[in-house]
Amino acid sequence: MNKQVPQDNVIPKPSVPAPDIVRCAYMDIVVTDLAKSREFYVDLLGLHVTEEDENTIYLRSLEEFIHHNLVLRKGPIAAVAAFAYRVKSPAEVDAAEAYYRELGCRVERRKDGFTKGVGDSVRVEDPLGFPYEFFYDVEHVERLTQRYDLYTAGELVRLDHFNQVTPDVPRGRKYLEDLGFRVSEDIKDSDGVTYAAWMHRKQTVHDTALTGGDGPRMHHVAFATHEKHNIIQICDKMGALRISDRIERGPGRHGVSNAFYLYILDPDGHRIEIYTQDYYTGDPDNPVITWDVHDNQRRDWWGNPVVPSWYTEASLVLDLDGNPRPITKREDKSEMAVTVGADGFSYTREPGEEVGFKLGAQL
């Protein structure tokens, strides 16, 4: 059974075309201590500074040619100011504005952009409560692909995806499908409850994902490496610096997406995933993979348990005035409740072949 979105809760599809989105392009994050954040993102993770001043740092990954993939902006409250997507042409910025105005969302357009290095842009408070940005015009910078003199053992090569926490995943899924995203994988149960969905525009597993929970909040932003040994190097470096307590989860291998992963926390608690080795999704008939929520290998292919903070903690998101958005509680069952704890149930072997849980699988 596939649980449907109640009709009175459906986000209507506008009559005008959706903007043609190319990929997730950058995230605009508010941090409370710019110096500490610089140590984390530049000194530890090795992101490259495009430019900076006393209030803002613009960072990019090794293979990027647009001005930035991450903006660190000093502010009083740690939160996310924008999930930014690049669109296919300048006309698609017009399309984004028309699309969200028909939806009745708050829309702001700036011909000179909201950040340095990015031109004509539209920011919206979308129907799920997230601050989305759409842009095309951008300043080009040096792509550092062949700057091997700068390459580090844990090099982050590109921005891979966002992950958003929202109470009603089917509602959000339909909205993003109307916006042109395609689903690669999801997590459900036998009652039809959807716990998460992975959605893409570029030809990988996702540009953003919807995780069921109290929201709107930002679960994580992910950067890709070339190989899994790059991720292990980051772990070793964090250990050497005596900041291993900032490693929240991993390293490990996801079942969903197949990717090798690591989750770490920045000085403000923003969650960063380091990610590699997912798969191609570009064919028009690419199949959707559905995971049973009780399959203990969905989140970690090796069957290791998920720490509770990964389900409960996430970053606030801001409205267009810079104020934190109010949080709505999830009414459907939570993934943590049905898979972790005394009342939870999960399996690694197929039903009928159970041999008990790995140590720590129930907390």
Side-chain angles (χ1 to χ4, degrees), residues 253-298:
R253 173 79 66 184
H254 283 311
V256 175
S257 83
N258 187 61
F260 199 81
Y261 72 86
L262 173 71
Y263 294 97
I264 58 178
L265 302 173
D266 83 353
D268 285 292
H270 295 308
R271 183 181 290 107
I272 310 301
E273 183 181 17
I274 317 299
Y275 180 97
T276 192
Q277 300 180 342
D278 65 347
Y279 58 89
Y280 169 80
T281 59
D283 282 17
D285 57 348
N286 183 74
V288 176
I289 298 171
T290 294
W291 292 79
D292 180 353
V293 71
H294 300 295
D295 187 340
N296 207 36
Q297 293 187 202
R298 74 201 183 284

Side-chain angles (χ1 to χ4, degrees), residues 81 83 124-132 163-167 175 210 215-219 315 317-318 320 325:
F83 300 71
V124 305
E125 295 173 8
D126 87 348
L128 304 182
F130 291 95
Y132 266 22
N163 188 303
Q164 306 169 231
V165 184
T166 190
Y175 151 65
L210 299 177
R217 294 182 296 165
M218 187 275 285
H219 191 274
S315 298
V317 300
L318 303 177
L320 297 186
R325 296 282 300 185

Side-chain angles (χ1 to χ4, degrees), residues 1-235:
M1 180 180 69
N2 186 13
K3 186 176 180 181
Q4 300 297 315
V5 181
Q7 287 302 305
D8 60 354
N9 198 32
V10 170
I11 298 166
K13 183 177 182 179
S15 61
V16 297
D20 191 349
I21 298 168
V22 175
R23 60 172 171 132
C24 62
Y26 81 87
M27 180 169 278
D28 188 344
I29 293 181
V30 180
V31 299
T32 59
D33 188 320
L34 200 58
K36 287 184 178 179
S37 293
R38 194 185 196 284
E39 288 179 358
F40 180 86
Y41 288 101
V42 179
D43 299 342
L44 171 65
L45 293 182
L47 286 171
H48 300 275
V49 178
T50 302
E51 58 181 298
E52 60 185 318
D53 56 36
E54 64 274 12
N55 294 312
T56 314
I57 305 175
Y58 299 88
L59 302 171
R60 71 184 191 276
S61 51
L62 185 84
E63 296 181 355
E64 189 57 80
F65 70 92
I66 71 171
H67 188 268
H68 55 263
N69 297 130
L70 187 68
V71 179
L72 305 178
R73 191 184 308 281
K74 185 178 180 181
I77 301 172
V80 175
F83 300 71
Y85 295 94
R86 195 167 195 211
V87 295
K88 200 167 187 177
S89 71
E92 299 304 323
V93 181
D94 298 330
E97 180 177 15
Y99 190 87
Y100 282 94
R101 288 198 186 281
E102 185 172 327
L103 276 173
C105 297
R106 183 180 173 188
V107 177
E108 184 176 343
R109 186 164 186 174
R110 294 187 186 176
K111 292 294 183 179
D112 295 327
F114 294 83
T115 65
K116 287 185 178 181
V118 176
D120 184 19
S121 308
V122 168
R123 281 193 180 182
V124 305
E125 295 173 8
D126 87 348
L128 304 182
F130 291 95
Y132 266 22
E133 177 180 317
F134 303 92
F135 71 94
Y136 174 77
D137 293 327
V138 69
E139 178 183 333
H140 287 202
V141 293
E142 180 187 6
R143 177 178 265 158
L144 300 173
T145 308
Q146 293 182 321
R147 287 295 307 275
Y148 294 107
D149 54 317
L150 301 178
Y151 194 96
T152 65
E155 191 71 41
L156 307 184
V157 295
R158 68 187 70 91
L159 175 69
D160 192 83
H161 63 265
F162 309 136
N163 188 303
Q164 306 169 231
V165 184
T166 190
D168 189 334
V169 174
R171 180 173 183 261
R173 174 178 178 159
K174 179 192 176 299
Y175 151 65
L176 287 176
E177 286 181 307
D178 288 346
L179 192 56
F181 286 80
R182 294 170 58 199
V183 178
S184 57
E185 306 198 24
D186 58 19
I187 296 175
K188 296 182 178 180
D189 66 17
S190 59
D191 295 326
V193 176
T194 302
Y195 297 85
W198 284 255
M199 312 190 73
H200 66 95
R201 287 294 299 174
K202 65 182 186 305
Q203 296 177 349
T204 62
V205 170
H206 56 322
D207 286 271
T208 196
L210 299 177
T211 293
D214 301 344
R217 294 182 296 165
M218 187 275 285
H219 191 274
H220 65 264
V221 58
F223 287 88
T225 64
H226 280 146
E227 299 287 348
K228 57 181 177 291
H229 67 76
N230 304 121
I231 292 177
I232 294 170
Q233 164 62 20
I234 293 171
C235 293

